[in-house]
Amino acid sequence: MNRFAIKAGLGACVLGASVLIPAQVSAEPAATATGTELSGMTVFLDPGHQGSSEGHDLAQQVNDGRGNTKDCQTSGMTSLGGVPEHTINWNVTQLVKSSLESLGAKVVLSRQDDTGWGGCIDERARAASESNADLAVSIHADSTAQGEDASKHGFHMIIPSLPIPDEKADAAQSGGGLEASKMMRDAYKSDGFVPANYAGVNDGLQTRADVAGPALTQVPLVFVEMGNGSNKEDSAQLESSDGQLKHAITITTGIVTYLLTGSEAAPAQELAAAPDATTAPNASEDSASSTTTTTPKATTPKAAPKSTAPDSAQLSELMEMLAPLLEVQGLDGLQDLVNDKNLGLVSDLASTLLAVITGAGGGN
């Protein structure tokens, strides 16, 4: 499988341009999308938290999947720029949803809007299980302080401590869930995101026994913490349209990589002990800053092939070709993303599209 073609094609899909799909064999060029590449597959997307908890008790105790109980929900963090986590999660989820549907996947959401109640954590896990999804992805952003925390930054995937008491949940998370989480971690690293440097995170993975969602979900689950909203740089990216787009492209890449290349994974290898972590002021079900006990052994991600950024004349040709396809979710268009500061975000997409324009096909 050509991961370069996957990333480039998904960048186009997230932007509303279904012009490329992943190549099925590394030697093949990227092909024109038909919209059926993920036909028959279901993805459950959970944009963490909810727009309003009015009329609901966030402290209501629900099953935590390990014989105990915990709070029904948390309100979620607020970024340094004042954007609530539920809105960040919702925006990214909508971009991922659009991309997956453009490739023929059925997408089921845990909540239907960003204004009302989104359900307790056990209800979301049950909905994911009942969807019989090929993969569930819970999308979140973390925080480590009420105000700014300059020292802690980065993304991570939350891995449930194994074994899980429920046999179906244990099979799902020790197999496909762990495999998909590592693929998502690799997608984040390949796209230039830096793994979190706090709370016992080891190479982008953090193992926890206090997060109920994975322990209750009977389909493979990836629990993404996109970044630390208490960190100035992470927060700025989480708040901005182009930052949310970059996260969406990466998350979609991780999902499709698993759906098209993943296999039934063997049970998780023995987990290594991780250093103790200090619980942050707002540690919760949806904040990975709680104390961790174990961390999976790190795996070395496959290196993504290098690409060459286009020159100005080629870029103009690319922009002209994409002109009718630039309006997605209120974004002004791809032109706003292609500048000196963030050309790297779309360089793989641009290079592959330019190869199509010149008849060279996709690169390996």
Side-chain angles (χ1 to χ4, degrees):
M1 174 65 65
N2 184 347
R3 189 188 180 281
F4 174 37
I6 289 177
K7 180 185 175 187
L10 293 175
C13 290
V14 171
L15 288 166
S18 56
V19 293
L20 298 173
I21 61 171
Q24 294 301 314
V25 180
S26 60
E28 293 180 5
T32 301
T34 65
T36 61
E37 290 72 29
L38 300 182
S39 179
M41 298 183 182
T42 299
V43 179
F44 184 90
L45 296 179
D46 170 34
H49 306 287
Q50 63 286 311
S52 171
S53 61
E54 184 177 357
H56 298 272
D57 180 10
L58 293 178
Q60 173 190 341
Q61 294 300 288
V62 300
N63 179 17
D64 73 346
R66 299 183 186 273
N68 299 303
T69 62
K70 67 180 308 177
D71 289 352
C72 154
Q73 258 289 2
T74 59
S75 59
M77 69 89 180
T78 299
S79 70
L80 293 177
V83 181
E85 182 190 344
H86 66 82
T87 295
I88 295 170
N89 300 338
W90 177 258
N91 291 344
V92 172
T93 297
Q94 292 306 297
L95 290 167
V96 175
K97 176 178 181 288
S98 175
S99 176
L100 295 174
E101 289 179 338
S102 75
L103 293 174
K106 175 184 177 182
V107 178
V108 180
L109 296 179
S110 64
R111 57 185 173 100
Q112 303 308 308
D113 57 53
D114 194 40
T115 56
W117 172 247
C120 293
I121 51 178
D122 61 328
E123 294 172 320
R124 297 185 187 208
R126 182 166 55 252
S129 300
E130 292 176 351
S131 75
N132 198 31
D134 296 278
L135 183 66
V137 181
S138 191
I139 298 174
H140 294 265
D142 198 15
S143 64
T144 55
Q146 296 294 336
E148 183 175 355
D149 189 348
S151 65
K152 298 182 180 68
H153 59 82
F155 79 89
H156 62 279
M157 311 296 142
I158 295 179
I159 308 294
S161 295
L162 300 171
I164 296 170
D166 182 272
E167 291 184 1
K168 290 184 178 179
D170 184 65
Q173 306 320 329
S174 65
L178 182 58
E179 181 183 24
S181 295
K182 289 180 178 179
M183 288 182 173
M184 187 70 73
R185 181 273 312 275
D186 291 350
Y188 260 82
K189 291 181 67 175
S190 294
D191 284 353
F193 290 95
V194 178
N197 64 346
Y198 61 92
V201 174
N202 185 345
D203 195 26
L205 302 178
Q206 181 201 49
T207 299
R208 288 174 59 177
D210 65 327
V211 179
L216 292 169
T217 303
Q218 297 178 341
V219 298
L221 171 70
V222 177
F223 197 117
V224 182
E225 293 282 6
M226 296 181 286
N228 183 9
S230 302
N231 177 275
K232 185 176 181 180
E233 289 74 23
D234 281 11
S235 183
Q237 186 170 64
L238 290 166
E239 295 164 2
S240 68
S241 293
D242 58 340
Q244 291 170 9
L245 175 62
K246 184 175 181 180
H247 278 288
I249 290 174
T250 301
I251 291 171
T252 306
T253 301
I255 292 171
V256 177
T257 300
Y258 172 75
L259 292 179
L260 296 185
T261 72
S263 59
E264 289 295 324
Q269 297 179 352
E270 182 180 354
L271 303 180
D276 290 338
T278 303
T279 301
N282 56 343
S284 69
E285 166 74 13
D286 301 301
S287 170
S289 49
S290 296
T291 301
T292 30
T293 56
T294 58
T295 299
K297 294 180 180 179
T299 58
T300 302
K302 296 180 180 179
K306 296 181 180 179
S307 62
T308 304
D311 61 31
S312 58
Q314 291 174 319
L315 188 56
S316 296
E317 184 178 2
L318 171 68
M319 302 317 304
E320 181 178 354
M321 184 184 78
L322 290 180
L325 304 166
L326 297 175
E327 199 69 29
V328 174
Q329 292 298 116
L331 297 178
D332 291 332
L334 184 61
Q335 291 101 328
D336 293 338
L337 301 179
V338 183
N339 54 51
D340 292 340
K341 293 182 179 180
N342 56 22
L343 181 60
L345 168 61
V346 293
S347 62
D348 283 354
L349 167 61
S351 296
T352 302
L353 287 176
L354 287 166
V356 173
I357 293 172
T358 60
N364 290 337

